[in-house]
Amino acid sequence: MAELLADKRSPNTCRAYRKDLQDFFSTMAGEELSQGLILQFLQLDRFTALSIVLEYKAHLIQRGLAEATVNRRLSALRSLVNYAHQVGCCDWTLVGVKGEKVIKYRDTTGISPEQFKRMLQQCDSQTLRGKRDYAMLCLLWDNALRRGELISTKIQDFDPEGKRLTILGKGRGTQRESVALTPSSIAAIEDWLTARVESGKGGPLKPQDPLFSSLNRGTVGRPLHPASLERIVRLIAQQAGISKRISPLRLRHASITAFLDASGGNIRTAQRLSRHAQLETLQMYDDNRQEMQQEASSILANLRK
């Protein structure tokens, strides 16, 4: 189990993987996840193991779980069994266990540029916290950064002279990539760092320190927790009078959609901005932005008048 988890680079992936396996064993065996329980399962004969997994799949469906959740939990089991098969711990796989068909759709709605401007206006430029939050919002919008990309950056990753920021992108392993910064983002980051030094909070700055640190008592100077960034963005949106629940991911969606609107649907450049590996993902943003299905339905409705 430990060896398999070590192959999962993201802490979030490790937590989700362990949670999915725990659900399987607690559901089908009524016991907590353990090394002994895993070995007991892997040592079953193929017919018995497949029967148990298929029964578990039926149980997930009966619980009313979404198809994507069912498939993710089955995928966790397949990964476990495949790894065990590779190292010689079992002589069968779960190739015959198929997942549920999922219609690909992603809600890419976010907020308008005008609403985002209202969010920026909520950041008090006279306070240390306001300067930090303003700089983070600028990066989230201008560079469509993911939550993890923002909170994992260090001071040494910020290059104001070269106008670049080095980030650890999603699915890149340990490989880091450089993104270009806008003058306004650079100014906001420099303003935050200067104020941070002058405040004396967290001690002298070091290159390895987080670019955006916590300002809460007891955690000053430490990296922002993902939940903290989520809370900061949500509260600022509420203060701006935005009723929709806003998160860093929603801001990323909003910035990509806003760029597509402003550029007339330049998907290729949008891919450079968003750093999506698949152009197909950007196509979903563009389709949602243009409401193509509604346009087609309207044309058909006019034809029957």
Side-chain angles (χ1 to χ4, degrees):
M1 179 68 173
E3 292 82 359
L4 179 59
L5 288 177
D7 191 47
K8 312 295 181 185
R9 294 185 182 274
S10 167
N12 290 333
T13 300
C14 288
R15 283 193 293 269
Y17 185 87
R18 184 181 291 275
K19 180 180 178 181
D20 289 337
L21 290 181
Q22 175 60 58
D23 185 78
F24 170 71
F25 285 103
S26 61
T27 299
M28 304 310 295
E31 298 181 28
E32 291 294 313
L33 183 64
S34 67
Q35 196 77 21
L37 191 59
I38 292 174
L39 290 175
Q40 185 179 343
F41 169 67
L42 295 173
Q43 290 167 6
L44 295 172
D45 63 86
R46 179 178 179 276
F47 178 79
T48 303
L50 286 178
S51 297
I52 292 174
V53 173
L54 289 173
E55 182 182 348
Y56 174 64
K57 177 184 175 182
H59 181 78
L60 293 176
I61 295 173
Q62 290 171 4
R63 282 160 58 181
L65 297 180
E67 289 84 356
T69 303
V70 172
N71 292 345
R72 193 193 69 233
R73 292 189 174 169
L74 292 177
S75 177
L77 277 173
R78 287 196 200 93
S79 295
L80 173 66
V81 173
N82 286 342
Y83 178 80
H85 187 267
Q86 290 173 3
V87 298
C89 288
C90 72
D91 57 4
W92 46 268
T93 66
L94 296 177
V95 174
V97 180
K98 302 298 182 183
E100 295 293 284
K101 182 174 289 187
V102 178
I103 298 176
K104 287 188 176 181
Y105 174 75
R106 175 177 292 178
D107 182 2
T108 58
T109 58
I111 57 175
S112 67
E114 290 70 27
Q115 289 175 310
F116 180 72
K117 289 177 186 177
R118 293 212 308 267
M119 288 184 64
L120 287 177
Q121 291 168 1
Q122 306 310 309
C123 301
D124 187 351
S125 61
Q126 301 304 310
T127 67
L128 184 61
R129 189 177 299 272
K131 292 176 185 293
R132 181 201 63 183
D133 295 349
Y134 183 87
M136 291 195 301
L137 287 178
C138 286
L139 277 179
L140 288 171
W141 179 269
D142 291 359
N143 292 88
L145 291 187
R146 297 178 176 90
R147 180 185 67 180
E149 293 170 341
L150 180 74
I151 62 178
S152 65
T153 54
K154 304 180 187 305
I155 291 177
Q156 63 190 9
D157 297 325
F158 175 50
D159 178 11
E161 288 76 22
K163 302 178 181 178
R164 314 288 298 186
L165 180 69
T166 302
I167 63 172
L168 186 61
K170 180 181 178 181
R172 301 295 197 275
T174 59
Q175 300 179 54
R176 306 180 76 85
E177 57 185 309
S178 175
V179 296
L181 297 177
T182 62
S184 57
S185 285
I186 293 173
I189 297 172
E190 289 183 321
D191 188 32
W192 144 246
L193 292 178
T194 299
R196 183 175 163 189
V197 171
E198 292 175 349
S199 72
K201 292 188 176 182
L205 296 184
K206 300 182 289 296
Q208 301 81 12
D209 286 344
L211 183 60
F212 297 104
S213 61
S214 170
L215 295 174
N216 296 332
R217 184 179 301 175
T219 60
V220 174
R222 296 180 186 175
L224 272 177
H225 190 278
S228 296
L229 180 59
E230 293 276 346
R231 184 167 54 254
I232 290 168
V233 171
R234 183 176 69 251
L235 291 177
I236 292 176
Q238 290 174 351
Q239 292 166 1
I242 300 171
S243 58
K244 181 183 294 184
R245 186 181 177 89
I246 302 301
S247 65
L249 181 59
R250 286 285 192 188
L251 285 185
R252 173 174 162 82
H253 289 168
S255 83
I256 295 171
T257 301
F259 171 78
L260 287 169
D261 280 338
S263 66
N266 189 334
I267 295 179
R268 284 291 180 182
T269 304
Q271 186 179 27
R272 298 292 294 177
L273 168 70
S274 66
R275 302 169 308 285
H276 279 115
Q278 301 296 327
L279 198 60
E280 180 184 79
T281 306
L282 266 298
Q283 191 67 55
M284 282 191 286
Y285 281 84
D286 202 37
D287 290 350
N288 292 347
R289 175 183 69 89
Q290 299 185 62
E291 297 183 335
M292 290 182 171
Q293 179 267 315
Q294 182 181 19
E295 179 183 351
S297 295
S298 297
I299 291 173
L300 291 172
N302 289 330
L303 290 176
R304 60 178 170 77
K305 291 181 179 178

